[in-house]
Amino acid sequence: SVTTLSMGLILVNSIVIIGIILVVIGGIVVVVARRNTQVPGSDRERFVDPLMTDEYRKYGPTSVAPGAILNYGGASHVVRGSLELSQGPFRWWEHLVDGGADGSWFGVEEDEGEVILTWWRKLPGSFEPANPIVVDGVEYWEEERGTARYTAIGTTGLPPEGATDFVDYKSGDGRLLGLERYGDSMWEASTGIRILPGEIDVMAAPDHNPDTDNR
């Protein structure tokens, strides 16, 4: 009869709809299961962006930039200019503080998840790379050399962008020495020390500093 046929069609349609719903639910379960059973130690689980950690953000380029105040060694230092340097996937920052011919530089870099802070003072005169190299009676041994690209903001005495050759040294007692050469200039040297986060306080740079153009 017509009634029996209608009921049969309704039953068939209901079965089809239930089947579709089960297929959708099954797909969702599979996706969730794959996410929850991800292999430990995979790149997704191990990767942590160092710029997202609280410690790195404190010393990162949005905090330490022209206009920031660094309280270190019993004195307050104003950041006048900043360099962002890169070599392949690696990036680090050098910040000129207080200015002057023998102005200090504050270095920030990330190495295998560790934030490394350094404080540098420029030496007068010119130098030539050697291994070892002796400066002021201290013997330094080469650790790394290469060429990096940089971009500059604020007062640094350099063009807005360019390249620099560098050689990094370290003494037996942990003191640092760096040689840098920009373009065709002579090699310049700076001595440095590593400092701990607890030794320096940062008053972050203003969000908008109209004086961060290169000079």
Side-chain angles (χ1 to χ4, degrees):
S1 65
V2 175
T3 301
T4 302
L5 180 61
S6 298
M7 292 181 64
L9 292 174
I10 292 173
L11 179 60
V12 170
N13 290 336
S14 299
I15 293 174
V16 171
I17 292 172
I18 292 173
I20 293 173
I21 293 173
L22 291 175
V23 169
V24 173
I25 293 174
I28 294 174
V29 170
V30 169
V31 171
V32 172
R34 285 180 177 177
R35 290 182 177 178
N36 291 338
T37 58
Q38 188 172 8
V39 178
S42 66
D43 289 341
R44 181 183 296 273
E45 289 186 346
R46 287 190 292 105
F47 178 75
V48 177
D49 186 346
L51 290 174
M52 296 304 294
T53 65
D54 289 338
E55 185 179 56
Y56 200 83
R57 186 182 294 112
K58 180 178 180 180
Y59 303 105
T62 57
S63 296
V64 184
I69 306 296
L70 308 180
N71 295 314
Y72 171 70
S76 295
H77 307 271
V78 179
V79 176
R80 300 190 61 200
S82 300
L83 300 178
E84 178 178 333
L85 301 106
S86 62
Q87 184 186 42
F90 302 102
R91 290 190 301 166
W92 65 98
W93 289 263
E94 296 178 0
H95 306 280
L96 176 64
V97 297
D98 290 348
D102 61 347
S104 299
W105 289 81
F106 174 55
V108 181
E109 65 177 297
E110 185 273 335
D111 184 18
E112 298 182 352
E114 180 184 11
V115 178
I116 298 176
L117 307 179
T118 50
W119 194 267
W120 301 83
R121 183 163 293 278
K122 183 179 176 181
L123 298 175
S126 60
F127 297 79
E128 289 296 329
N131 193 28
I133 185 172
V134 179
V135 177
D136 293 335
V138 179
E139 190 174 68
Y140 296 87
W141 292 86
E142 181 178 328
E143 290 202 318
E144 183 181 0
R145 69 166 60 203
T147 300
R149 299 292 304 176
Y150 75 84
T151 57
I153 58 174
T155 300
T156 63
L158 295 171
E161 59 183 29
T164 177
D165 299 318
F166 67 89
V167 188
D168 292 337
Y169 295 87
K170 192 173 185 179
S171 69
D173 60 1
R175 283 180 280 185
L176 307 175
L177 176 73
L179 299 186
E180 292 180 319
R181 178 176 62 184
Y182 294 87
D184 297 328
S185 65
M186 303 293 289
W187 287 96
E188 298 179 348
S190 299
T191 55
I193 57 172
R194 183 155 175 192
I195 60 177
L196 300 175
E199 297 180 78
I200 187 168
D201 293 321
V202 177
M203 295 178 61
D207 291 336
H208 302 286
N209 187 345
D211 296 324
T212 55
D213 293 333
N214 283 278
R215 299 174 183 174

